[in-house]
Amino acid sequence: MYPLSYRRASSVDEARRLFQEASDAAYLAGGHTLLPTMKQRLAVHDVLVDLTRIEAMRGISVSGDTLTIGGGMTHAEVSESSEVKGAISSLAAMVGSIGDAQVRHRGTIGGSIANNDPAADYPSAALALAATIKTDSREIAADDFFTALYETALEEGEIVTGVSFRIPETAGYAKFRNPASRYPMAGVFVAKHKDGSVRVGVTGAGMEGAFRWHEAEEALAGNFSGEALAGISLDPGMMMGDIHGSPEYRANLVAVMAGRALANLGSAEAII
Amino acid sequence: MVTVTMTVNGRQVSKEVEDRRLLVDFLREDLGLTGTHVGCDTSQCGACVVHLDGKAVKSCTVLAAQADGGSVKTIEGLANGADLHPLQAAFKEHHGLQCGFCTPGMIMSGVDLIERHPDGLDEKTVRVELEGNICRCTGYHNIVKAILAAAEEMRGGMRQAAE
């Protein structure tokens, strides 16, 4: 890791100020993507602004049909939260399957959402649960937030302060892990909402990162079960291909994981 | 440079270090606590696990500056004088190690795991929860046995204390 200056912010305003004063700052949340990247010298920042002590970015609350999680909440806190388990049990279970116990003690929802790793779990849930990403200056619908690999609608210096999820009638998640990296090679979050609409968020497989599988959503709106997916397939042209799996393999894996998610509503299944 | 002050194994320490200093290097190089190991250095293997403010973390992926003001427990802080912690004793009893390189991290993760499951543990839970700790010798079997045995003993101790 190249030399840097560490700054700890106690408020969102202070974090923004510290960020702007530096020439090439980065925000530090759990740091479990940023620090490994900096250790390998794949990323260089002169200042790291630590967001984890900002009280306004903590907390979990349920209001009506909305579950709101502060951007600074760790995966361990979210997965063990009785509010999250009560409102969206499949979301709690999905978050409990991220990384490992030690990673979940540090990694945060805000960091995961802002990083938009194409194989992160959270973006699929944000899409399926019609999330609203709250920042220090505005609110952004999840559909408009994840723009490309590691790219989001965030402006330079903008901070994810919280995420609101629409509480569905029922939902489920299933992923197939890469045996080495443990990130999903395909992860599918399915949700049936109280207005009857269905949303399907897919991570790990898309060439442009997480995406909604609209064709499956339409089929499932009439019949919310795995049978409705028979005969529907994804275009391999949209899928990632690498040494771990071809685009055709991933396209098929997404369909299989969608079926597994529908068979495990209220929960999350991590395969391998 | 930044001055970091924290409690390590119950003792307050304060040192001036580079901002980029990793917690694991702070423990090993600046404090001489070499029980915490560096295995992969990429947050995968868990040899560097310590408890930060009561939670198991990979100290190769935390800056010392992030731990400023906090409390750290390492493998050196687990025994009570000559009396091994129940999990250390269980690793000895059940031969939960071969080369021993992963053992400090395994034990710190195991203690955290037992403390997070006060109602008891089963084998499947232990195996799933050890996701973040890699052992290349044992095949994990005796590590799992040791954690289950210590969990049972520690629950017994807690029951006695409650009575």
Side-chain angles (χ1 to χ4, degrees):
Chain A
M1 201 181 315
Y2 289 106
L4 56 89
S5 292
Y6 168 87
R7 297 280 182 274
R8 189 179 285 180
S10 55
S11 70
V12 172
D13 287 345
E14 188 186 7
R16 292 275 334 210
R17 184 174 56 73
L18 290 168
F19 188 97
Q20 275 154 13
E21 283 170 6
S23 67
D24 188 11
Y27 292 121
L28 177 64
H32 274 50
T33 298
L34 182 61
L35 293 177
T37 312
M38 292 180 71
K39 282 163 68 176
Q40 292 180 67
R41 298 188 168 179
L42 295 171
V44 185
H45 297 284
D46 60 339
V47 173
L48 292 184
V49 180
D50 188 345
L51 303 178
T52 57
R53 314 297 165 109
I54 299 175
E55 206 45 47
M57 285 170 57
R58 297 195 48 77
I60 294 173
S61 62
V62 174
S63 170
D65 281 343
T66 305
L67 166 70
T68 301
I69 301 174
M73 298 304 282
T74 66
H75 304 328
E77 289 167 333
V78 172
S79 66
E80 288 156 18
S81 154
S82 53
E83 285 95 341
V84 179
K85 285 180 187 170
I88 316 176
S89 56
S90 50
L91 179 67
M94 183 207 81
V95 177
S97 78
I98 296 173
D100 54 47
Q102 297 88 355
V103 169
R104 291 193 294 274
H105 281 148
R106 300 294 296 172
T108 67
I109 180 172
S112 176
I113 293 279
N115 189 49
N116 191 20
D117 187 307
D121 295 271
Y122 258 123
S124 64
L127 291 171
L129 298 170
T132 301
I133 319 299
K134 295 165 186 270
T135 79
D136 56 295
S137 57
R138 59 188 170 139
E139 298 193 346
I140 309 167
D143 286 346
D144 302 324
F145 185 83
F146 304 107
T147 52
L149 299 181
Y150 300 103
E151 297 285 337
T152 67
L154 290 171
E155 302 286 344
E156 182 76 3
E158 196 172 0
I159 299 170
V160 174
T161 56
V163 182
S164 289
F165 297 92
R166 189 195 291 167
I167 299 172
E169 189 183 301
T170 185
Y173 181 70
K175 67 175 166 184
F176 187 89
R177 286 192 179 117
N178 178 311
S181 77
R182 316 302 283 146
Y183 276 90
M185 290 178 66
V188 181
F189 205 105
V190 297
K192 184 178 187 182
H193 289 278
K194 290 172 182 170
D195 62 3
S197 67
V198 170
R199 293 170 70 105
V200 178
V202 179
T203 191
M207 211 150 62
E208 295 295 317
F211 66 94
R212 280 175 66 190
W213 186 9
H214 293 290
E215 203 183 349
E217 291 177 355
E218 283 160 27
L220 291 169
N223 172 16
F224 194 63
S225 80
E227 298 157 20
L229 297 175
I232 298 179
S233 58
L234 275 162
D235 175 9
M238 292 169 52
M239 299 290 113
M240 271 194 279
D242 54 29
I243 58 164
H244 308 296
S246 66
E248 291 77 14
Y249 177 84
R250 277 198 171 80
N252 184 63
L253 199 55
V254 170
V256 174
M257 288 306 110
R260 298 287 282 249
L262 287 158
N264 285 288
L265 294 174
S267 186
E269 186 183 12
I271 298 160
I272 307 194
Chain B
M1 300 291 277
V2 59
T3 302
V4 295
T5 303
M6 65 185 86
T7 306
V8 179
N9 299 332
R11 191 168 62 92
Q12 193 171 60
V13 296
S14 193
K15 296 239 179 221
E16 198 180 5
V17 298
E18 276 195 286
D19 295 45
R20 62 177 166 173
R21 194 72 157 155
L22 297 171
L23 179 60
V24 69
D25 293 329
F26 178 73
L27 295 169
R28 287 178 58 86
E29 308 294 332
D30 298 326
L31 302 182
L33 295 171
T34 53
T36 302
H37 291 170
V38 179
C40 66
D41 204 28
T42 56
S43 341
Q44 308 273 333
C45 79
C48 66
V49 170
V50 301
H51 296 180
L52 172 57
D53 296 327
K55 294 186 175 78
V57 303
K58 292 179 171 174
S59 61
C60 77
T61 312
V62 178
L63 297 173
Q66 286 176 282
D68 180 37
S71 174
V72 172
K73 185 181 270 190
T74 72
I75 188 73
E76 289 93 341
L78 218 47
N80 184 9
D83 296 331
L84 292 179
H85 182 279
L87 187 55
Q88 290 174 306
F91 264 67
K92 188 177 169 192
E93 169 74 20
H94 295 275
H95 195 54
L97 63 143
Q98 286 180 27
C99 87
F101 193 85
C102 73
T103 311
M106 283 287 179
I107 289 180
M108 296 313 286
S109 294
V111 171
D112 175 77
L113 167 59
I114 293 168
E115 286 173 352
R116 282 188 288 111
H117 293 83
D119 298 330
L121 279 167
D122 56 36
E123 183 184 336
K124 186 177 176 219
T125 306
V126 174
R127 289 186 184 273
V128 169
E129 289 275 345
L130 285 181
E131 169 90 44
N133 291 80
I134 293 174
C135 172
R136 296 284 86 148
C137 308
T138 64
Y140 302 94
H141 200 60
N142 288 351
I143 292 172
V144 175
K145 264 199 235 169
I147 292 173
L148 287 170
E152 205 44 48
E153 196 192 326
M154 287 166 72
R155 282 183 75 203
M158 279 185 269
R159 271 199 300 272
Q160 275 178 3
E163 285 160 9

Tab-separated table of all heavy atoms in Angstrom, chain B residues 18-51:
chain	number	residue	atom	x	y	z
B	18	GLU	N	2.654	4.844	10.809
B	18	GLU	CA	2.199	5.348	9.516
B	18	GLU	C	0.694	5.122	9.392
B	18	GLU	O	0.170	4.106	9.863
B	18	GLU	CB	2.902	4.588	8.380
B	18	GLU	CG	4.273	5.130	8.031
B	18	GLU	CD	4.741	4.579	6.694
B	18	GLU	OE1	5.112	3.392	6.645
B	18	GLU	OE2	4.716	5.332	5.703
B	19	ASP	N	0.020	6.027	8.706
B	19	ASP	CA	-1.431	5.907	8.525
B	19	ASP	C	-1.793	4.598	7.821
B	19	ASP	O	-2.856	4.040	8.030
B	19	ASP	CB	-1.981	7.074	7.686
B	19	ASP	CG	-1.839	8.416	8.384
B	19	ASP	OD1	-0.748	8.680	8.951
B	19	ASP	OD2	-2.803	9.199	8.361
B	20	ARG	N	-0.886	4.113	6.954
B	20	ARG	CA	-1.200	2.909	6.184
B	20	ARG	C	-0.864	1.627	6.954
B	20	ARG	O	-1.036	0.532	6.412
B	20	ARG	CB	-0.435	2.909	4.861
B	20	ARG	CG	1.075	2.887	5.041
B	20	ARG	CD	1.806	2.809	3.719
B	20	ARG	NE	3.220	3.107	3.895
B	20	ARG	CZ	4.126	2.974	2.931
B	20	ARG	NH1	3.752	2.564	1.741
B	20	ARG	NH2	5.380	3.283	3.157
B	21	ARG	N	-0.390	1.756	8.194
B	21	ARG	CA	-0.013	0.580	8.982
B	21	ARG	C	-1.218	-0.335	9.165
B	21	ARG	O	-2.274	0.104	9.638
B	21	ARG	CB	0.493	1.031	10.352
B	21	ARG	CG	1.217	-0.032	11.155
B	21	ARG	CD	2.544	-0.293	10.563
B	21	ARG	NE	3.540	-0.861	11.453
B	21	ARG	CZ	4.556	-1.583	10.972
B	21	ARG	NH1	4.640	-1.853	9.678
B	21	ARG	NH2	5.485	-2.020	11.778
B	22	LEU	N	-1.067	-1.611	8.819
B	22	LEU	CA	-2.158	-2.562	9.044
B	22	LEU	C	-2.168	-2.987	10.506
B	22	LEU	O	-1.114	-3.060	11.152
B	22	LEU	CB	-1.982	-3.793	8.150
B	22	LEU	CG	-2.050	-3.529	6.641
B	22	LEU	CD1	-1.629	-4.777	5.866
B	22	LEU	CD2	-3.453	-3.098	6.226
B	23	LEU	N	-3.347	-3.299	10.996
B	23	LEU	CA	-3.463	-3.717	12.397
B	23	LEU	C	-2.576	-4.930	12.677
B	23	LEU	O	-1.926	-5.003	13.726
B	23	LEU	CB	-4.937	-4.018	12.724
B	23	LEU	CG	-5.218	-4.500	14.153
B	23	LEU	CD1	-4.778	-3.466	15.193
B	23	LEU	CD2	-6.720	-4.789	14.320
B	24	VAL	N	-2.516	-5.874	11.730
B	24	VAL	CA	-1.711	-7.076	11.968
B	24	VAL	C	-0.223	-6.727	12.094
B	24	VAL	O	0.484	-7.290	12.933
B	24	VAL	CB	-1.954	-8.154	10.891
B	24	VAL	CG1	-1.408	-7.749	9.526
B	24	VAL	CG2	-1.341	-9.474	11.310
B	25	ASP	N	0.252	-5.767	11.308
B	25	ASP	CA	1.658	-5.360	11.397
B	25	ASP	C	1.908	-4.564	12.678
B	25	ASP	O	2.977	-4.664	13.279
B	25	ASP	CB	2.039	-4.524	10.166
B	25	ASP	CG	2.009	-5.351	8.891
B	25	ASP	OD1	2.289	-6.564	8.966
B	25	ASP	OD2	1.690	-4.799	7.823
B	26	PHE	N	0.916	-3.779	13.077
B	26	PHE	CA	1.019	-3.059	14.343
B	26	PHE	C	1.188	-4.057	15.494
B	26	PHE	O	2.066	-3.896	16.351
B	26	PHE	CB	-0.245	-2.204	14.533
B	26	PHE	CG	-0.291	-1.445	15.832
B	26	PHE	CD1	0.515	-0.338	16.032
B	26	PHE	CD2	-1.158	-1.834	16.849
B	26	PHE	CE1	0.467	0.370	17.234
B	26	PHE	CE2	-1.211	-1.136	18.041
B	26	PHE	CZ	-0.397	-0.027	18.239
B	27	LEU	N	0.378	-5.095	15.488
B	27	LEU	CA	0.452	-6.096	16.558
B	27	LEU	C	1.788	-6.838	16.527
B	27	LEU	O	2.446	-7.006	17.551
B	27	LEU	CB	-0.707	-7.100	16.430
B	27	LEU	CG	-2.111	-6.531	16.638
B	27	LEU	CD1	-3.162	-7.561	16.224
B	27	LEU	CD2	-2.325	-6.113	18.090
B	28	ARG	N	2.190	-7.263	15.349
B	28	ARG	CA	3.396	-8.108	15.222
B	28	ARG	C	4.688	-7.307	15.323
B	28	ARG	O	5.589	-7.667	16.092
B	28	ARG	CB	3.370	-8.857	13.877
B	28	ARG	CG	2.340	-9.993	13.819
B	28	ARG	CD	2.350	-10.660	12.440
B	28	ARG	NE	3.666	-11.167	12.120
B	28	ARG	CZ	4.125	-12.360	12.486
B	28	ARG	NH1	3.342	-13.180	13.155
B	28	ARG	NH2	5.348	-12.744	12.173
B	29	GLU	N	4.752	-6.221	14.550
B	29	GLU	CA	6.024	-5.492	14.444
B	29	GLU	C	6.195	-4.454	15.558
B	29	GLU	O	7.283	-4.296	16.088
B	29	GLU	CB	6.108	-4.776	13.078
B	29	GLU	CG	5.856	-5.669	11.874
B	29	GLU	CD	6.929	-6.734	11.679
B	29	GLU	OE1	8.082	-6.504	12.087
B	29	GLU	OE2	6.591	-7.805	11.130
B	30	ASP	N	5.123	-3.737	15.870
B	30	ASP	CA	5.256	-2.647	16.840
B	30	ASP	C	5.076	-3.133	18.272
B	30	ASP	O	5.662	-2.584	19.193
B	30	ASP	CB	4.233	-1.537	16.535
B	30	ASP	CG	4.469	-0.925	15.156
B	30	ASP	OD1	5.646	-0.842	14.751
B	30	ASP	OD2	3.494	-0.555	14.486
B	31	LEU	N	4.246	-4.136	18.480
B	31	LEU	CA	4.004	-4.633	19.837
B	31	LEU	C	4.676	-5.983	20.092
B	31	LEU	O	4.680	-6.468	21.227
B	31	LEU	CB	2.496	-4.765	20.110
B	31	LEU	CG	1.654	-3.486	19.949
B	31	LEU	CD1	0.198	-3.761	20.311
B	31	LEU	CD2	2.188	-2.347	20.807
B	32	GLY	N	5.216	-6.617	19.062
B	32	GLY	CA	5.904	-7.897	19.250
B	32	GLY	C	4.972	-9.061	19.533
B	32	GLY	O	5.412	-10.114	20.001
B	33	LEU	N	3.688	-8.883	19.235
B	33	LEU	CA	2.719	-9.963	19.473
B	33	LEU	C	2.631	-10.819	18.202
B	33	LEU	O	1.742	-10.638	17.365
B	33	LEU	CB	1.357	-9.380	19.853
B	33	LEU	CG	1.340	-8.626	21.184
B	33	LEU	CD1	0.018	-7.893	21.378
B	33	LEU	CD2	1.585	-9.573	22.356
B	34	THR	N	3.566	-11.749	18.082
B	34	THR	CA	3.685	-12.505	16.822
B	34	THR	C	2.805	-13.751	16.790
B	34	THR	O	2.901	-14.554	15.863
B	34	THR	CB	5.148	-12.907	16.575
B	34	THR	OG1	5.626	-13.590	17.742
B	34	THR	CG2	6.016	-11.689	16.322
B	35	GLY	N	1.946	-13.912	17.792
B	35	GLY	CA	1.006	-15.037	17.754
B	35	GLY	C	0.007	-14.893	16.630
B	35	GLY	O	-0.466	-15.881	16.072
B	36	THR	N	-0.335	-13.661	16.276
B	36	THR	CA	-1.236	-13.407	15.158
B	36	THR	C	-0.433	-13.548	13.868
B	36	THR	O	0.583	-12.887	13.702
B	36	THR	CB	-1.833	-11.988	15.270
B	36	THR	OG1	-2.510	-11.879	16.531
B	36	THR	CG2	-2.819	-11.722	14.146
B	37	HIS	N	-0.884	-14.413	12.975
B	37	HIS	CA	-0.093	-14.734	11.788
B	37	HIS	C	-0.599	-14.034	10.540
B	37	HIS	O	-1.773	-13.685	10.465
B	37	HIS	CB	-0.110	-16.246	11.553
B	37	HIS	CG	0.648	-17.009	12.592
B	37	HIS	ND1	0.615	-18.381	12.699
B	37	HIS	CD2	1.474	-16.573	13.599
B	37	HIS	CE1	1.375	-18.767	13.712
B	37	HIS	NE2	1.898	-17.694	14.271
B	38	VAL	N	0.305	-13.860	9.583
B	38	VAL	CA	-0.067	-13.384	8.251
B	38	VAL	C	0.038	-14.583	7.315
B	38	VAL	O	1.122	-15.114	7.102
B	38	VAL	CB	0.867	-12.256	7.751
B	38	VAL	CG1	0.444	-11.811	6.347
B	38	VAL	CG2	0.835	-11.076	8.705
B	39	GLY	N	-1.099	-15.015	6.795
B	39	GLY	CA	-1.086	-16.163	5.894
B	39	GLY	C	-1.137	-15.690	4.464
B	39	GLY	O	-0.138	-15.632	3.761
B	40	CYS	N	-2.328	-15.313	4.021
B	40	CYS	CA	-2.505	-14.957	2.612
B	40	CYS	C	-2.335	-13.472	2.372
B	40	CYS	O	-1.989	-13.054	1.291
B	40	CYS	CB	-3.894	-15.384	2.147
B	40	CYS	SG	-5.231	-14.469	2.951
B	41	ASP	N	-2.632	-12.648	3.406
B	41	ASP	CA	-2.587	-11.191	3.267
B	41	ASP	C	-3.643	-10.665	2.301
B	41	ASP	O	-3.541	-9.549	1.816
B	41	ASP	CB	-1.175	-10.744	2.836
B	41	ASP	CG	-0.884	-9.301	3.241
B	41	ASP	OD1	-1.472	-8.844	4.244
B	41	ASP	OD2	-0.081	-8.643	2.562
B	42	THR	N	-4.633	-11.493	1.953
B	42	THR	CA	-5.687	-11.035	1.032
B	42	THR	C	-7.087	-11.284	1.599
B	42	THR	O	-8.041	-11.458	0.851
B	42	THR	CB	-5.578	-11.739	-0.332
B	42	THR	OG1	-5.620	-13.161	-0.115
B	42	THR	CG2	-4.298	-11.394	-1.056
B	43	SER	N	-7.223	-11.338	2.899
B	43	SER	CA	-8.514	-11.489	3.601
B	43	SER	C	-9.180	-12.840	3.373
B	43	SER	O	-10.377	-12.974	3.589
B	43	SER	CB	-9.537	-10.399	3.231
B	43	SER	OG	-8.947	-9.282	2.676
B	44	GLN	N	-8.424	-13.827	2.913
B	44	GLN	CA	-9.049	-15.115	2.625
B	44	GLN	C	-8.856	-16.127	3.760
B	44	GLN	O	-9.772	-16.853	4.105
B	44	GLN	CB	-8.424	-15.740	1.363
B	44	GLN	CG	-8.399	-14.830	0.149
B	44	GLN	CD	-9.665	-14.908	-0.669
B	44	GLN	OE1	-10.342	-15.912	-0.662
B	44	GLN	NE2	-10.000	-13.841	-1.348
B	45	CYS	N	-7.626	-16.203	4.317
B	45	CYS	CA	-7.249	-17.406	5.059
B	45	CYS	C	-7.591	-17.384	6.542
B	45	CYS	O	-7.729	-18.432	7.156
B	45	CYS	CB	-5.766	-17.697	4.884
B	45	CYS	SG	-4.693	-16.679	5.923
B	46	GLY	N	-7.684	-16.193	7.140
B	46	GLY	CA	-8.096	-16.120	8.539
B	46	GLY	C	-6.998	-16.372	9.562
B	46	GLY	O	-7.284	-16.406	10.754
B	47	ALA	N	-5.743	-16.513	9.130
B	47	ALA	CA	-4.656	-16.718	10.105
B	47	ALA	C	-4.473	-15.487	11.000
B	47	ALA	O	-3.935	-15.592	12.095
B	47	ALA	CB	-3.356	-17.046	9.379
B	48	CYS	N	-4.923	-14.333	10.528
B	48	CYS	CA	-4.690	-13.066	11.234
B	48	CYS	C	-5.876	-12.636	12.087
B	48	CYS	O	-5.921	-11.486	12.523
B	48	CYS	CB	-4.380	-11.971	10.213
B	48	CYS	SG	-5.794	-11.600	9.162
B	49	VAL	N	-6.836	-13.522	12.329
B	49	VAL	CA	-8.057	-13.108	13.028
B	49	VAL	C	-7.749	-12.716	14.484
B	49	VAL	O	-7.080	-13.450	15.213
B	49	VAL	CB	-9.131	-14.216	12.990
B	49	VAL	CG1	-10.296	-13.882	13.924
B	49	VAL	CG2	-9.636	-14.405	11.565
B	50	VAL	N	-8.222	-11.540	14.860
B	50	VAL	CA	-8.194	-11.077	16.255
B	50	VAL	C	-9.592	-10.556	16.570
B	50	VAL	O	-10.450	-10.464	15.688
B	50	VAL	CB	-7.155	-9.941	16.458
B	50	VAL	CG1	-5.749	-10.410	16.079
B	50	VAL	CG2	-7.530	-8.685	15.678
B	51	HIS	N	-9.831	-10.235	17.822
B	51	HIS	CA	-11.108	-9.629	18.187
B	51	HIS	C	-10.910	-8.121	18.307
B	51	HIS	O	-10.038	-7.674	19.047
B	51	HIS	CB	-11.626	-10.178	19.519
B	51	HIS	CG	-11.936	-11.640	19.475
B	51	HIS	ND1	-12.416	-12.333	20.560
B	51	HIS	CD2	-11.852	-12.547	18.465
B	51	HIS	CE1	-12.591	-13.608	20.227
B	51	HIS	NE2	-12.245	-13.762	18.968
